């Protein structure tokens, strides 16, 4: 039996119409299955665990790669780092407030389905997955390069380092629970201590006047600065991923905002400290701009280590982001699978541990496939990172738009956290991310190749949605519980909304 419900602006009642359907609601059987799996999820216990996973996700980018932006000069690049920090700070606070209202684990996918439409929501959800997958691929390749510096004999076997790193991540994420969260907490604390030791240990050798101006360009044009502007995202990428963990946490309305704000504060402090220390350490800017590991200058002088041994100390930070990003990707895919936008089997969790092991495996396969692309195509690592940021920027902007929508429409809805920047902060973030996007698609050396990949991917995702997913999608159990009133509020005040219930 098929019923089609129709909500119109003039009336809020249901009546039967013809069976031509664009949208369906999941049957009760799926609801019971989803609940039974969620009963086995071993949750994080408090916001400290969220602080830890946010730290391990983000801090790896502060150990590597951001230094390439120093080609425009230390002071000029420092301005870019501050501006980008403002954007991510506003974004994180907006998302913390939204999570305190609507703790949905699907990331940008869930909110954009409500505010921008089902097709756009699907595409943006895929963009967020691709952002994380490409970032992990970049980190996989960088990890293998760090290993090769210390053990040159591994050079022919670099892909095996990715397999080992991702295999270990799979083991952690499959078991989940206390094993994963305690491991991640210890790793986060170790990395923060490592930053502290690096900054304090390098202080006796630091001389900003002598080293920060060495090899600096005589003049920096606005064009050159704007071209390097997106590179500063290395300091902050991933801070937004914490809100995809709502189904992994007890009391997400309180834990997510506290963990996200604590992580944001920590990453701002560590980022500023690392930047100022790195540009002030010998041998100077000429070496730092091309160094694979940013901390090498301090380590070689403070600890008296060789370059190979100093590089080895950055390996844990490079690995640290991989499990966290894989878990975030898995949660997004699991949410999309529950809505039948992708195969529903990916929603099923481990019968023993309650972890999203199937989605994690797919996340690993996707990131490993992209890693091979980066490894075998010259200069593909830069292209992959720029593509990751391009997809991420779409997700960031849509999150800010969703925040503005919720903030204005549901002003009286209870929140456990309020962004201190409000709607103006969201507008500032949109402006900065839009500027970064313009730089990515127009000023980079690989812009043409990246743009072809970017547009082609969006076209394929849109085609997939309209050809396959549109008539199979459902409103999942989580969406009914958390976001359904937003769907109704959006479409009752907007155009006519049609959806189908099937028994």
């Amino acid at each position: 039996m098929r019923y089609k419900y129709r909500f119109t602006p003039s009336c809020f009642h249901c009546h039967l119409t013809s069976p031509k359907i664009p949208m369906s609601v999941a049957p009760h059987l799926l609801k019971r299955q989803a609940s039974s799996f969620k009963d086995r999820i071993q949750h994080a216990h408090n916001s400290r665990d969220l602080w830890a996973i946010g730290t391990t996700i983000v801090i790896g980018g502060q150990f590597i790669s951001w230094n390439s932006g120093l080609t425009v000069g230390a002071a000029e690049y420092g301005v870019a780092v501050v501006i980008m920090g403002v954007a991510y700070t506003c974004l994180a606070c907006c998302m913390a407030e939204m999570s305190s209202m609507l703790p949905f684990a699907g990331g940008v996918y869930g909110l954009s389905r409500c505010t921008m439409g089902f097709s756009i929501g699907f595409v943006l959800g895929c963009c967020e997955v691709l952002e994380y997958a490409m970032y992990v691929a970049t980190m996989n390749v960088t990890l293998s390069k760090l290993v090769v510096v210390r053990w040159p004999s591994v050079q022919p076997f670099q892909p095996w380092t990715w397999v080992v790193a991702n295999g270990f991540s799979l083991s952690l994420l499959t078991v989940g629970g206390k094993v994963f969260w305690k491991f991640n907490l210890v790793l986060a604390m170790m990395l923060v201590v490592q930053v502290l030791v690096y900054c304090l240990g390098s202080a006796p050798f630091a001389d900003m006047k002598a080293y920060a101006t060495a090899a600096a360009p005589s003049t920096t044009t606005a064009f050159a600065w704007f071209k390097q502007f997106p590179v500063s995202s290395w300091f902050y990428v991933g801070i937004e991923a914490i809100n995809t963990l709502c189904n992994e946490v007890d009391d997400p309305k309180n834990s997510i905002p506290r963990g996200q704000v604590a992580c944001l504060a920590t990453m701002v402090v560590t980022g500023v400290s690392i930047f100022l220390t790195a540009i002030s350490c010998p041998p100077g800017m000429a070496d730092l701009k091309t160094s694979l590991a940013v901390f090498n200058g301090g380590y070689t002088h403070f600890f008296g280590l060789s370059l190979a041994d100093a590089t080895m100390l950055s390996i844990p930070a490079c690995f640290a982001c991989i499990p966290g990003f894989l878990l975030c990707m898995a949660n997004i895919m699991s949410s999309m699978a529950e809505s039948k936008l992708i195969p529903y089997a990916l929603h099923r969790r481990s019968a023993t541990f309650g972890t999203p092991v199937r989605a994690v495996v797919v996340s690993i396969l996707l990131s490993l496939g992209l890693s091979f692309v980066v490894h075998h195509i010259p200069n593909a690592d830069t292209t992959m990172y720029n593509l990751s940021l391009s997809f991420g920027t779409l997700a960031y902007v849509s999150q800010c738009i969703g925040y503005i929508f919720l903030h204005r429409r549901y002003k009286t809805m209870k929140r456990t956290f309020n962004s201190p920047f409000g709607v103006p902060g969201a507008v500032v973030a949109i402006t900065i991310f839009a500027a970064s996007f313009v730089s990515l698609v127009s000023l980079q050396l690989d812009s043409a190749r990246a743009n072809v990949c970017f547009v082609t991917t969006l076209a394929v995702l849109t085609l997939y949605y309209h050809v396959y997913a549109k008539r199979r999608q459902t409103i999942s159990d989580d969406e009914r519980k958390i976001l359904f009133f937003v769907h109704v509020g959006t479409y009752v005040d907007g155009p006519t909304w049609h959806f189908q219930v099937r028994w």
Side-chain angles (χ1 to χ4, degrees):
M1 182 182 299
R2 294 187 177 184
Y3 294 94
K4 183 178 180 185
Y5 292 83
R6 185 182 183 191
F7 294 92
T8 65
S10 59
C11 62
F12 193 71
H13 66 277
C14 303
H15 58 87
L16 297 177
T17 60
S18 62
K20 188 176 181 181
I21 304 303
M23 184 66 196
S24 58
V25 176
H28 293 295
L29 178 59
L30 296 185
K31 182 176 180 180
R32 289 197 298 271
Q33 284 181 330
S35 298
S36 65
F37 281 108
K38 288 168 190 171
D39 290 341
R40 291 196 288 273
I41 297 176
Q42 303 177 60
H43 292 122
H45 295 292
N46 50 46
S47 54
R48 181 185 62 186
D49 293 322
L50 292 170
W51 166 84
I53 196 168
T55 298
T56 53
I57 285 174
V58 178
I59 204 168
Q62 299 183 356
F63 277 63
I64 60 169
S65 296
W66 63 261
N67 47 317
S68 62
L70 290 169
T71 54
V72 297
E76 292 81 356
Y77 186 53
V79 172
V81 172
V82 171
I83 294 175
M84 192 63 75
V86 170
Y88 276 93
T89 297
C90 293
L91 172 67
C93 289
C94 289
M95 296 179 71
E97 181 175 336
M98 287 191 292
S99 295
S100 74
M101 299 167 58
L102 304 168
F104 181 68
V108 66
Y109 150 75
L111 183 60
S112 57
R113 285 240 294 181
C114 302
T115 58
M116 299 182 182
F118 293 107
S119 61
I120 296 177
F122 167 75
V123 172
L124 289 173
C126 293
C127 285
E128 191 169 22
V129 170
L130 288 172
E131 175 200 0
Y132 298 156
M134 291 178 175
Y135 190 90
V136 171
T138 303
M139 281 298 193
N140 281 337
V141 174
T142 303
L143 177 64
S144 65
K145 291 179 180 178
L146 294 173
V147 172
V148 167
V149 171
R150 179 59 184 85
W151 295 283
S153 60
V154 179
Q155 173 73 36
F157 311 104
Q158 289 187 57
W160 286 105
T161 62
W162 319 334
V163 173
V164 171
N166 284 268
F168 182 61
S169 300
L170 176 61
S171 300
L172 285 173
L173 295 172
T174 299
V175 176
K178 292 181 179 180
V179 173
F180 170 73
W181 292 107
K182 286 187 176 180
F183 172 85
N184 196 74
L185 178 61
V186 171
L187 182 58
M189 295 175 67
M190 183 187 75
L191 293 175
V192 171
V193 170
Q194 187 176 353
V195 171
L196 182 63
V197 171
Y198 165 73
C199 294
L200 295 180
S202 301
F205 309 98
D207 188 338
M208 186 175 295
K209 185 176 181 180
Y211 297 114
T213 57
S218 56
T219 58
T220 299
T221 64
F223 177 86
W225 181 88
F226 194 49
K227 180 180 178 180
Q228 294 297 328
F229 178 57
V231 179
S232 59
S233 295
W234 275 105
F235 281 93
Y236 313 104
V237 168
I239 192 70
E240 78 287 349
I242 296 177
N243 79 324
T244 65
L245 304 174
C246 293
N247 62 348
E248 304 285 341
V249 183
D250 292 323
D251 189 20
K253 288 188 176 182
N254 289 290
S255 297
I256 293 286
R258 287 199 296 263
Q260 196 155 32
V261 172
C263 177
L264 172 65
T266 304
M267 292 302 97
V268 169
V269 172
T270 57
V272 171
S273 301
I274 290 170
F275 179 83
L276 294 177
T277 302
I279 64 174
S280 304
C281 282
M285 289 274 288
D287 180 78
L288 179 60
K289 287 186 291 187
T290 58
S291 178
L292 181 61
V294 173
F295 285 24
N296 282 357
Y299 286 157
T300 53
H301 286 78
F302 175 55
F303 291 116
L305 298 175
S306 66
L307 182 63
D309 289 335
T311 301
M312 182 180 66
L313 294 179
S314 295
I315 291 176
C318 192
F319 163 78
C321 71
I322 295 176
F325 272 125
L326 291 175
L327 179 59
C328 295
M329 291 166 60
N331 277 335
I332 297 170
M333 285 194 286
S334 181
S335 295
M336 296 175 72
E338 189 179 3
S339 296
K340 290 191 173 181
L341 289 164
I342 57 178
Y344 182 74
L346 294 180
H347 170 65
R348 297 187 182 277
R349 291 176 172 262
S350 166
T352 303
F353 302 108
T355 51
V357 62
R358 296 187 182 188
V360 170
V361 170
V362 173
S363 300
I364 289 174
L365 293 176
L366 177 59
S367 63
L368 286 178
L370 293 171
S371 299
F372 278 100
V373 173
V374 174
H375 181 64
H376 290 290
I377 298 179
N379 301 319
D381 52 347
T382 302
T383 304
M384 190 68 69
Y385 177 70
N386 289 341
L387 272 173
S388 172
L389 285 183
S390 296
F391 286 117
T393 299
L394 292 184
Y396 301 159
V397 170
S398 66
Q399 291 277 28
C400 292
I401 293 173
Y403 169 80
I404 294 172
F405 170 85
L406 290 178
H407 193 274
R408 290 183 171 177
R409 175 159 294 194
Y410 301 102
K411 295 180 180 179
T412 60
M413 186 175 180
K414 183 179 179 181
R415 298 160 168 81
T416 59
F417 175 82
N418 286 279
S419 170
F421 310 107
V423 171
V427 173
V428 169
I430 290 172
T431 303
I432 295 173
F433 288 130
S436 177
F437 183 78
V438 171
S439 176
L440 288 166
V441 301
S442 61
L443 301 182
Q444 309 305 312
L445 293 176
D446 61 343
S447 287
R449 179 171 63 176
N451 290 345
V452 170
C453 295
F454 182 73
V455 173
T456 302
T457 302
L458 293 182
V460 170
L461 291 173
T462 302
L463 182 64
Y464 167 86
Y465 174 81
H466 287 286
V467 171
Y468 177 82
K470 183 176 181 179
R471 296 184 179 276
R472 291 171 173 80
Q473 65 184 335
T474 68
I475 294 180
S476 68
D477 185 48
D478 276 349
E479 285 184 281
R480 280 198 295 267
K481 291 178 179 178
I482 300 170
L483 299 174
F484 190 72
F485 79 94
V486 183
H487 279 291
V488 173
T490 301
Y491 287 93
V492 165
D493 292 342
T496 300
W497 184 34
H498 301 275
F499 70 92
Q500 178 185 12
V501 180
R502 295 181 182 177
W503 283 282

